DNA sequence: ATTGATGCAAACACTTTGCATCTAA
DNA sequence: TTAGATGCAAAGTGTTTGCATCAAT
């Protein structure tokens, strides 16, 4: 796991991205992240490791990491952008409208259908966004 | 068509929504709308009919109409919210990332699969959002 | 005559940016 | 050493809101 971060660090440096204390801290925080935190939450988690870390640096770093394909940005309805590591396999999201909880899911069938539809209309998919806003079934 | 607007007007009034000159103008503009304009664009289109119309009134009216189920609001990536009449059948959107053009499509198969996935995970869908960001196939 | 709607300007939430200073390479 | 990163504060964007006035019912 420390190993993974090291490899990532090297790759980023190779891409011309300087790994400052701030960025290293954010990479650490992201490595431990299992949920979908927004910029403010990531800042909150990283500040203890880099006192004085500014929110603008968080935003700038997140943009840089997104550009490098290290993280993904999601813009769910009525919420600030949130982030997750990009290393995981592609998936889509269900958002519990009552709790805000995010559940990941994946459907190859749907992906196929999406691709087919785009093709039939003369397009190719650059990326897509599929979000199910749900509530727990009272059973 | 004038007829449709009249019926809508009556229904809105019945729901306690006052039809002011500003709102009547916006309803007219929306009735003629085939695309997916944002608040500023709707304001631009309505101002000639109601000189002095303010942008905040447009926003307030759009919220009211959305609440009444008359229009739908979409929040595509990197763009201000855009609107369309809600009377049309449910559909999803493809957005051409190069031109911004919006194409509507619909897939019952996908809807079924979404519902099944939600059910399997113990949820029911409140609403969903599916957007394909695409580019024209060069070919 | 009421009560909700308007226009204006100010506030809002989230995000980006200009600039002087610092620091990773 | 030097180009890129930082912190701060200020600006930006899209949207909402407080308030005095106005107009639809």
């Amino acid at each position: 796991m420390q190993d993974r971060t090291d490899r990532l660090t090297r790759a980023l440096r190779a891409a011309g991205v300087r790994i400052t204390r701030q960025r290293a801290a954010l990479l650490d925080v992201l490595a431990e992240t299992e949920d979908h935190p927004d910029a403010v939450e990531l800042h909150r988690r990283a500040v203890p490791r880099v006192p004085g870390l500014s929110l603008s640096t968080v935003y700038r770093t997140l943009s840089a990491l997104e550009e490098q394909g290290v993280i993904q940005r999601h813009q769910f309805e009525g919420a600030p952008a949130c982030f997750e590591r990009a290393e995981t396999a592609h998936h889509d999201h269900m958002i519990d409208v009552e709790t805000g909880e995010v559940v990941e899911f994946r459907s190859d069938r749907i992906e196929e259908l999406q691709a087919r539809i785009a093709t039939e209309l003369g397009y190719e998919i650059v990326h897509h966004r599929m979000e199910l806003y749900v509530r727990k079934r009272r059973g």
Side-chain angles (χ1 to χ4, degrees), chain A:
Chain A
M1 49 177 294
Q2 195 50 34
D3 198 47
R4 199 189 316 174
T5 303
D6 284 356
R7 205 169 310 151
L8 188 54
T9 293
R10 254 175 271 122
L12 285 168
R13 254 194 275 262
V17 176
R18 287 192 187 172
I19 304 304
T20 60
R21 295 186 313 118
Q22 297 72 343
R23 291 184 172 179
L26 278 167
L27 285 172
D28 284 351
V29 168
L30 285 165
E32 298 168 2
T33 295
E34 296 300 327
D35 53 350
H36 296 73
D38 61 23
V40 169
E41 176 60 25
L42 288 166
H43 179 253
R44 185 173 4 255
R45 296 182 193 179
V47 159
R49 311 182 193 222
V50 185
L53 172 66
S54 82
L55 187 53
S56 30
T57 293
V58 172
Y59 275 112
R60 276 189 281 233
T61 299
L62 291 172
S63 293
L65 294 181
E66 186 189 16
E67 214 162 303
Q68 295 302 319
V70 174
I71 59 175
Q72 275 189 299
R73 180 190 304 255
H74 300 294
Q75 187 69 256
F76 299 143
E77 289 181 4
C82 65
F83 302 84
E84 67 178 328
R85 265 168 291 137
E87 59 189 30
T88 52
H90 168 71
H91 57 258
D92 293 293
H93 300 89
M94 287 175 43
I95 297 97
D96 187 318
V97 294
E98 261 135 31
T99 67
E101 191 194 356
V102 176
V103 179
E104 303 179 348
F105 71 92
R106 170 173 178 71
S107 167
D108 291 322
R109 284 292 293 126
I110 292 181
E111 310 271 304
E112 279 167 33
L113 289 165
Q114 288 173 338
R116 187 184 308 167
I117 289 165
T119 301
E120 276 167 10
L121 293 170
Y123 293 94
E124 58 186 340
I125 295 180
V126 177
H127 70 283
H128 74 254
R129 187 199 232 187
M130 174 163 61
E131 293 150 18
L132 307 183
Y133 293 84
V134 301
R135 78 162 60 88
K136 284 218 169 62
R137 271 224 317 292
R138 45 201 177 320

